[in-house]
Amino acid sequence: MDEKTVVTTLASVLLAVSGYLAAHASKLRLDQRTSQLNRINTQLSDFYGPLLALGSATSTAWLQFRKKYRPGRAFFGEGAPPTEQELVAWRTWMKEVFMPSNLRMAELVTTKSDLLIEDHIPPCLLTLCAHVAAYQAVMKRWEEKDFSEHSSLVNFPTEVLDYAHKSFLHLKAEQSRLLGLVNKRRLI
């Protein structure tokens, strides 16, 4: 074999190996992006989307409840206490509207916390779980016709909705970015 043939063969082999390595590296990057995109899709569909939807619906229902019952003043606490009719409304709304939604949000936290963006459970979500747990004791007493208590010992953490909204938007932006990269790579 002459020198020209050896150089040509060697160049061809190096070119083939380089092409294989470039294709392999590109496939690894695409697989990694696809994996990230799948995780984000799951975070959105199984945790942050439902948390935001439930939180938003509950917040809207709360605002409407407060518009109708004791608007402009605290429901409990300072001032004249709620009337018996207002307390009946409170218990009905808690049992039928707020607690079912709060229970589902707490269930998301306790069953889907592996989908959190953070490496820890944010304090507002832990407070949400504590609020729900404490309210269950109050509602159990209502079932037994004991209406001496009407609120949880732990207040509902109003920052849950803001947390869900910010996290949802962050993940949607990251999802869009990754979709662009993944789709662009597939076209190449």
Side-chain angles (χ1 to χ4, degrees):
M1 233 198 289
D2 68 351
E3 185 177 315
K4 187 177 180 183
T5 305
V6 169
V7 169
T8 303
T9 304
L10 193 55
S12 296
V13 168
L14 286 174
L15 193 57
V17 168
S18 296
Y20 170 78
L21 291 175
H24 183 69
S26 179
K27 183 182 178 332
L28 285 176
R29 280 192 306 276
L30 180 60
D31 289 348
Q32 183 181 29
R33 287 181 182 138
T34 300
S35 178
Q36 289 172 334
L37 182 58
N38 289 339
R39 173 152 173 84
I40 287 172
N41 289 341
T42 301
Q43 288 174 301
L44 287 167
S45 67
D46 292 359
F47 187 78
Y48 288 101
L51 185 66
L52 179 58
L54 289 165
S56 296
T58 302
S59 178
T60 299
W62 173 253
L63 292 173
Q64 293 307 308
F65 172 80
R66 292 296 285 131
K67 189 184 281 187
K68 183 172 181 173
Y69 298 99
R70 298 176 67 83
R73 58 185 167 161
F75 203 90
F76 297 106
E78 299 174 17
T83 66
E84 187 56 36
Q85 181 183 5
E86 290 168 333
L87 290 173
V88 168
W90 175 267
R91 290 189 298 266
T92 300
W93 278 73
M94 280 306 301
K95 181 180 173 199
E96 301 299 329
V97 180
F98 303 126
M99 243 342 235
S101 182
N102 291 346
L103 280 165
R104 290 198 311 258
M105 286 190 285
E107 182 181 351
L108 284 171
V109 174
T110 59
T111 63
K112 305 285 185 176
S113 61
D114 61 310
L115 297 175
L116 288 167
I117 295 171
E118 301 84 2
D119 59 358
H120 63 283
I121 300 176
C124 66
L125 299 181
L126 294 173
T127 303
L128 169 68
C129 292
H131 169 76
V132 169
Y135 235 121
Q136 287 176 311
V138 173
M139 294 183 83
K140 181 66 175 170
R141 292 176 78 177
W142 293 352
E143 287 175 18
E144 297 165 355
K145 305 296 184 222
D146 176 355
F147 303 119
S148 59
E149 290 185 40
H150 280 87
S151 59
S152 173
L153 296 175
V154 179
N155 288 333
F156 182 87
T158 56
E159 61 272 17
V160 166
L161 184 56
D162 186 50
Y163 166 78
H165 187 253
K166 285 179 182 175
S167 299
F168 184 85
L169 291 178
H170 168 76
L171 286 170
K172 287 300 284 182
E174 186 63 13
Q175 180 189 49
S176 293
R177 185 185 74 77
L178 287 170
L179 275 172
L181 290 173
V182 167
N183 288 336
K184 189 165 124 182
R185 281 307 223 173
R186 286 189 176 144
L187 294 175
I188 295 175

